Amino acid sequence: MSEVWACGFNGFSQLTADSIESKIKTLQAIHLGLEDKEKLTECEISWSFIAWLTDQHRLITCGFSPDKLDASVKPALQATTISVLSSHLIVMDSNSTLQEWRHGHFMHVSLKGVENFKPKQIHSKEMNCVAISEENVPVEISPVYHQSSIEYICKPLPLGCAIRSVACGVDHVLMLSDFGSVFSYGSGSRGQTGHGTTEDICGQPKVIEALEGVRMVLIASGNWHSAAVSEFGDLYMWGWNECGQLGILCRKNLDHEFKITDDCSEKNDAVTIQALPYLVLPPDDKEEDIVVAKVACGARHTAVLTNCCKLFTCGWNGYGQLGLGDCYNRDRLTYVQDQHLPSLKCQPEQLDIYCGSWNTILVLQKTETKTET
């Protein structure tokens, strides 16, 4: 069974209907009505609703959707993966059949532009949508909406290597290859593509040379910032640091307690745009070597899970999405203290972490305890 905790924006009761608060500032238990052995497999977060998928192919939604998507919605197929494109929910089954929730019901999606294309993954955010084919080729998708039908115009982006995962920002995209190389393309206005420039990378994705030589195993993308984790558990961040979402000292910090000091040298070290990947170190722990196991990015915040199941957060905290019990921004990775975090006696592979624009969600996959006879 899965257990869920969440914090951040609750303006549409997408986290809990038990509270009228729009800001949940510490991780609170979320009750989704799961059956005893039912497990969550995916979580997709929009600004106003959250969609969950279980290993029983059950779709659970919480919050508000402009298209009247609610908890009673059932797709006409056995969903195996889900994604949120702007305010629209995309579902896909094991046969790569796609449907999109629009105008109050699920509509079939036709794939155009690539013959015999079967996606096995689909990733989206705002207006970016990228699928991965059965041959591990990334395919850029441009939706075309008609009155009674939906078409996805597909454009392959062959890179000469197999792509294992994709992370979409508002206007940029990251891709991770089987060899551990990271590619990016799209807007570079805030350094989010990681090529040392604020120029756009148009057309073909480009390998991030600053990360070559070390195998990356995870990628994540916020609205305008990016992250990657190496096979050694090192965390690299780049892009916009307006609120400290990179875990680097920033110039704009609204928190009086954590503001930049009057020290001129410290002010000179402050960063707003980090256009190249930067090695970010969580605070020292005298008892344990901190190794990053997982990372997730929200609009302007970041959440990091370590190999000892400790949670660190940084960035914009306007809705309490850092889980620290307040709404102050942090520009350094900050440990979510035990009083704000459920007791986690587990292995890191049992935990998943998700960030929406203004939310942080922690999912624990509980193991069955065997009773001795």
Side-chain angles (χ1 to χ4, degrees):
M1 183 176 176
S2 301
E3 293 186 359
V4 183
W5 297 271
C7 59
F9 183 58
N10 190 48
F12 299 98
S13 300
Q14 59 264 61
L15 300 186
T16 174
D18 298 331
S19 174
I20 60 172
E21 294 291 330
S22 63
K23 301 177 182 181
I24 306 296
K25 302 173 188 176
T26 60
L27 287 162
Q28 303 290 320
I30 306 300
H31 304 288
L32 297 172
L34 298 176
E35 298 177 2
D36 286 345
K37 295 184 179 181
E38 191 173 20
K39 292 185 178 181
L40 296 169
T41 57
E42 292 191 27
C43 171
E44 287 289 324
I45 311 169
S46 85
W47 66 278
S48 63
F49 72 91
I50 302 173
W52 307 87
L53 187 63
T54 78
D55 60 353
Q56 305 299 316
H57 307 289
R58 191 156 67 101
L59 181 64
I60 303 170
T61 59
C62 309
F64 164 79
S65 166
D67 275 338
K68 299 180 181 179
L69 176 67
D70 59 40
S72 64
V73 167
K74 293 182 180 179
L77 49 77
Q78 273 202 339
T80 56
T81 189
I82 57 175
S83 189
V84 170
L85 178 60
S86 187
S87 61
H88 307 304
L89 178 66
I90 304 168
V91 298
M92 183 171 70
D93 69 7
S94 59
N95 295 318
S96 300
T97 302
L98 290 168
Q99 291 186 346
E100 185 175 320
W101 179 262
R102 191 170 175 81
H103 301 317
H105 63 280
F106 274 106
M107 300 176 65
H108 176 74
V109 175
S110 299
L111 300 175
K112 304 290 185 180
V114 181
E115 190 175 355
N116 299 322
F117 169 50
K118 287 191 173 183
K120 66 176 184 179
Q121 296 180 36
I122 188 163
H123 306 269
S124 57
K125 181 181 286 186
E126 298 295 331
M127 298 311 295
N128 273 324
C129 189
V130 177
I132 299 178
S133 73
E134 290 183 332
E135 297 76 27
N136 297 314
V137 175
V139 177
E140 189 176 52
I141 290 175
S142 300
V144 177
Y145 297 104
H146 306 286
Q147 186 172 358
S148 58
S149 63
I150 302 173
E151 293 180 345
Y152 284 179
I153 308 302
C154 304
K155 175 188 174 184
L157 300 169
L159 299 175
C161 59
I163 295 300
R164 61 185 295 185
S165 65
V166 171
C168 294
V170 165
D171 47 18
H172 77 292
V173 176
L174 301 180
M175 299 177 181
L176 178 65
S177 78
D178 275 347
F179 297 112
S181 294
V182 180
F183 295 79
S184 69
Y185 74 100
S187 172
S189 60
R190 297 168 177 85
Q192 61 266 46
T193 56
H195 297 290
T197 178
T198 55
E199 295 181 1
D200 296 348
I201 306 298
C202 300
Q204 192 75 358
K206 182 179 177 182
V207 69
I208 300 178
E209 294 181 0
L211 293 175
E212 289 291 87
V214 179
R215 183 172 178 266
M216 298 296 143
V217 294
L218 291 171
I219 54 174
S221 180
N223 280 15
W224 303 281
H225 70 292
S226 305
V229 178
S230 77
E231 61 181 336
F232 305 112
D234 293 324
L235 174 66
Y236 295 87
M237 302 282 295
W238 62 95
W240 203 25
N241 193 46
E242 180 214 17
C243 297
Q245 56 263 50
L246 302 187
I248 306 172
L249 192 68
C250 72
R251 295 184 182 278
K252 179 183 178 183
N253 196 327
L254 303 180
D255 175 11
H256 67 281
E257 185 178 353
F258 299 94
K259 68 181 180 180
I260 299 171
T261 67
D262 292 329
D263 188 313
C264 291
S265 61
E266 192 166 350
K267 285 184 177 180
N268 291 334
D269 290 336
V271 172
T272 301
I273 291 177
Q274 176 66 36
L276 283 171
Y278 182 87
L279 178 62
V280 178
L281 301 175
D284 292 334
D285 190 318
K286 295 180 180 179
E287 298 180 359
E288 300 170 325
D289 292 329
I290 293 181
V291 175
V292 173
K294 296 178 181 177
V295 62
C297 298
R300 290 182 289 167
H301 77 287
T302 302
V304 171
L305 192 66
T306 71
N307 63 329
C308 49
C309 297
K310 290 187 175 180
L311 179 64
F312 293 82
T313 55
C314 63
W316 189 65
N317 195 31
Y319 290 105
Q321 60 264 46
L322 300 189
L324 298 170
D326 57 48
C327 290
Y328 297 136
N329 299 347
R330 305 294 199 281
D331 57 11
R332 304 290 173 89
L333 283 170
T334 305
Y335 175 52
V336 180
Q337 299 291 336
D338 292 339
Q339 65 266 30
H340 301 316
L341 188 67
S343 178
L344 299 175
K345 295 180 180 180
C346 61
Q347 299 299 315
E349 56 267 21
Q350 292 177 252
L351 283 170
D352 288 306
I353 190 164
Y354 303 93
C355 286
S357 292
W358 312 312
N359 295 105
T360 301
I361 295 176
L362 197 62
V363 177
L364 169 63
Q365 307 292 0
K366 296 184 69 176
T367 56
E368 293 185 40
T369 56
K370 296 182 180 180
T371 56
E372 295 184 4
T373 56

